[in-house]
Amino acid sequence: MDERAKLVEVLTDLVEINNDRVAGYEQAAAQSKDIDADLHTIFHNMANDSRRYAAELTEEVNKLGKRVFRGEAIKGKIYQIWKDLKATFSGYDRQSILESCEFGEDTVQKSYNAALASEIDAQTRVIITNQKAWLKTAHKMVKNYRNAHWKMIA
């Protein structure tokens, strides 16, 4: 596989994980709507962030003369965890929603780490590194909300 094809594969993997993150947070927002207005808003914002990230990555794929097709075979299949996450919401309480979202965010970070460990050009590395930093902030926010909720119920 040539370098360009590898780069397309890396970018496509990240588009998929962001699309699945959108779906996961839309599910979380729907389930938190009647529980917590703050979480509902935060989850919508996180879904919108991933829409932007996926669009930015798709643009990079398009610049390489390729297209992103939803559901393409993905090397690591890490994105599947976000898809499975939608089915794992065991309840509609704040704690279970936050735990599921934190698990999903762990998966996103693994995907971005894998992308950064691959051979990519400097411009793409900057895009992925910047997105990863914002996603790490989101991950910390979810974790902090989960921890704060644990303290409230303990």
Side-chain angles (χ1 to χ4, degrees), residues 125-140:
R125 185 168 299 281
V126 167
I127 292 168
I128 293 171
T129 300
N130 288 341
Q131 287 186 4
K132 183 182 183 304
W134 284 107
L135 289 163
K136 186 70 174 173
T137 300
H139 183 256
K140 286 178 184 175

Side-chain angles (χ1 to χ4, degrees), residues 69-87:
F69 296 102
R70 184 88 170 129
E72 274 187 29
I74 295 181
K75 181 179 164 187
K77 299 284 185 188
I78 293 175
Y79 79 97
Q80 187 64 41
I81 294 172
W82 253 116
K83 285 185 176 181
D84 294 342
L85 178 66
K86 291 182 280 187

Side-chain angles (χ1 to χ4, degrees), residues 59-77:
E59 183 179 326
E60 292 303 310
V61 172
N62 292 342
K63 286 178 186 176
L64 295 167
K66 300 290 183 181
R67 295 233 185 271
V68 174
F69 296 102
R70 184 88 170 129
E72 274 187 29
I74 295 181
K75 181 179 164 187
K77 299 284 185 188

Side-chain angles (χ1 to χ4, degrees), residues 16-36:
E16 284 288 334
I17 195 73
N18 275 288
N19 287 338
D20 291 329
R21 187 174 181 266
V22 168
Y25 275 117
E26 285 178 346
Q27 178 81 10
Q31 291 179 352
S32 65
K33 184 172 74 172
D34 296 327
I35 297 170
D36 189 317

Side-chain angles (χ1 to χ4, degrees), residues 10 13-14 17-18 75 78 105-120 125 128-129 131-133 135-136 139:
V10 167
D13 283 353
L14 295 179
I17 195 73
N18 275 288
K75 181 179 164 187
I78 293 175
E105 289 298 335
D106 290 340
T107 303
V108 170
Q109 287 299 309
K110 288 176 188 174
S111 298
Y112 272 77
N113 288 338
L116 290 170
S118 61
E119 293 183 31
I120 53 177
R125 185 168 299 281
I128 293 171
T129 300
Q131 287 186 4
K132 183 182 183 304
L135 289 163
K136 186 70 174 173
H139 183 256

